[in-house]
Amino acid sequence: MKVGLIGLGKMGYNLALNMIDKNHEVVAYDTVSEHVERITKDGARGVDSLAALVQNMESPRVVIMLVPAGKITDQVTKEMGALLEKGDILIDAGNSNYKDTLARYAQLKEKGIYFVDCGTSGGTEGARHGVCTMVGGDPEALEHITPLFESISLPNGFLKTGAAGSGHFLKMVHNGIEYGMMQAIGEGFEILDKSQFDYDYEAVARVWNHGSVIRSWLMELMENAFSKQPKLDNIKGVMHSSGEGIWTVETAMELQASAPVIAMSQFMRFRSLEDDTFHGKVVAALRNEFGGHAVVKK
Ligand SMILES: O=C(O)[C@H](O)[C@@H](O)[C@H](O)[C@H](O)COP(=O)(O)O
């Protein structure tokens, strides 16, 4: 299938290589011309604008966007909305908020363009060798892109999730789970680290990966990380987040769904960004006021 690809960052580039391997004809664009030149050498048809991308394809076009969520996705969607024709399919494979997705779907629907949302998981390795895709949108559009997605996803790693927005909604919840699982793994190793025992963490992760209940890809990644740095000495415990955890917690609140683990793991990420906190000072001051308990002075 001929596929347009917008965005040749870490994920997009690997997805392009994955599609080329599967004999798809990839027409690729990125604002960074070096990326376009590189992917052209790797077998895609590189183009220097969105307009050229559209001109180099025939209707019904299938175009995948893998660009940062938020403003850039908005911008590209608007520009593509002006360039594409009725019956074309624009797929957002980034980590967009499903509410933004619903608005973009409605916006493109007015022109008869299908807007498809694809939750994409598996990191850069997945994008390269077999991705996990959760895809929502109109049935006829999903039908059309099924062979493409079956070819680039792992076996059983492609799911048509239902109506527009459902792919990104599912990916959001996936990421909430990811936050909770990673936080639990982190806390487990923290307890080991504070104990009187001298564990080899790489060996611990390895044994847990062989038959234990908590064996998982995350634990394999842990084993890999400890093999490079046995005590993670060169890393600070600062945990950034790009928004999906917040959206999951907001959604849980809206739906009155109980999600304490995911909420706490998001709060722990915020906490990790600060050396000291005002709430810590408040609690220390209160303990001092009512019980004369010592405070640590600056
Ligand atoms: O399934 C995946 O491959 C991941 O969930 C991925 O999509 C995620 O968005 C980033 O790894 C960073 O996420 P945070 O910045 O929110 O931790």
Side-chain angles (χ1 to χ4, degrees):
M1 180 181 270
K2 197 178 214 181
V3 191
L5 179 66
I6 304 167
L8 293 166
K10 280 180 286 184
M11 289 293 289
Y13 203 93
N14 279 346
L15 196 71
L17 294 177
N18 183 351
M19 291 195 286
I20 293 165
D21 279 355
K22 308 289 159 34
N23 296 318
H24 298 294
E25 205 183 322
V26 178
V27 184
Y29 170 70
D30 193 282
T31 47
V32 181
S33 58
E34 290 80 38
H35 293 176
V36 178
E37 281 159 28
R38 216 173 109 212
I39 201 66
T40 306
K41 286 189 193 123
D42 282 334
R45 185 186 306 176
V47 290
D48 61 3
S49 68
L50 294 177
L53 183 131
V54 172
Q55 279 153 21
N56 274 279
M57 298 183 73
E58 302 76 37
S59 207
R61 300 173 181 85
V62 174
V63 181
I64 301 179
M65 275 194 293
L66 246 173
V67 300
K71 277 195 185 130
I72 298 181
T73 298
D74 241 349
Q75 173 83 21
V76 176
T77 305
K78 281 205 180 86
E79 286 181 39
M80 289 305 285
L83 292 164
L84 291 173
E85 294 174 293
K86 190 172 187 289
D88 290 346
I89 301 171
L90 181 62
I91 304 163
D92 177 7
N95 276 336
S96 292
N97 186 312
Y98 81 98
K99 290 181 180 171
D100 293 340
T101 297
L102 288 175
R104 290 172 191 137
Y105 168 84
Q107 185 188 318
L108 265 61
K109 184 119 190 147
E110 282 176 17
K111 270 194 75 182
I113 300 165
Y114 294 107
F115 190 75
V116 168
D117 50 295
C118 170
T120 309
S121 185
T124 49
E125 270 303 290
R128 179 68 187 88
H129 298 293
V131 71
C132 170
T133 49
M134 307 150 227
V135 189
D138 290 345
E140 57 273 32
L142 299 190
E143 212 46 53
H144 189 73
I145 61 173
T146 291
L148 168 67
F149 275 80
E150 279 181 342
S151 71
I152 58 171
S153 307
L154 279 182
N156 293 318
F158 161 55
L159 180 67
K160 284 180 257 189
T161 54
S166 62
H168 281 156
F169 189 94
L170 193 63
K171 179 63 183 5
M172 173 189 76
V173 174
H174 166 280
N175 278 33
I177 296 171
E178 178 182 300
Y179 277 43
M181 288 173 73
M182 291 200 294
Q183 181 64 28
I185 293 171
E187 289 177 16
F189 279 102
E190 171 111 33
I191 298 168
L192 297 185
D193 203 48
K194 289 197 158 60
S195 77
Q196 75 263 41
F197 302 107
D198 184 21
Y199 292 106
D200 172 341
Y201 299 147
E202 181 192 349
V204 168
R206 187 180 309 114
V207 78
W208 280 347
N209 276 327
H210 287 82
S212 95
V213 168
I214 59 170
R215 64 185 183 269
S216 57
W217 189 49
L218 288 174
M219 196 57 74
E220 285 169 20
L221 295 176
M222 218 46 264
E223 189 182 330
N224 198 32
F226 283 133
S227 77
K228 290 184 266 185
Q229 272 192 72
K231 301 277 175 189
L232 304 182
D233 283 335
N234 298 332
I235 299 178
K236 276 191 134 192
V238 174
M239 306 182 284
H240 291 291
S241 51
S242 47
E244 298 248 351
I246 298 175
W247 303 337
T248 314
V249 178
E250 283 171 354
T251 305
M253 300 286 265
E254 283 164 19
L255 300 174
Q256 301 197 8
S258 180
V261 171
I262 296 174
M264 289 301 287
S265 56
Q266 178 63 60
F267 288 139
M268 285 305 290
R269 292 210 183 186
F270 292 149
R271 177 65 185 87
S272 79
L273 303 180
E274 299 180 53
D275 286 336
D276 199 2
T277 59
F278 199 72
H279 77 255
K281 293 182 198 220
V282 168
V283 173
L286 282 173
R287 288 183 77 248
N288 183 258
E289 288 297 323
F290 64 64
H293 303 295
V295 293
V296 178
K297 296 221 168 99
K298 274 194 176 177

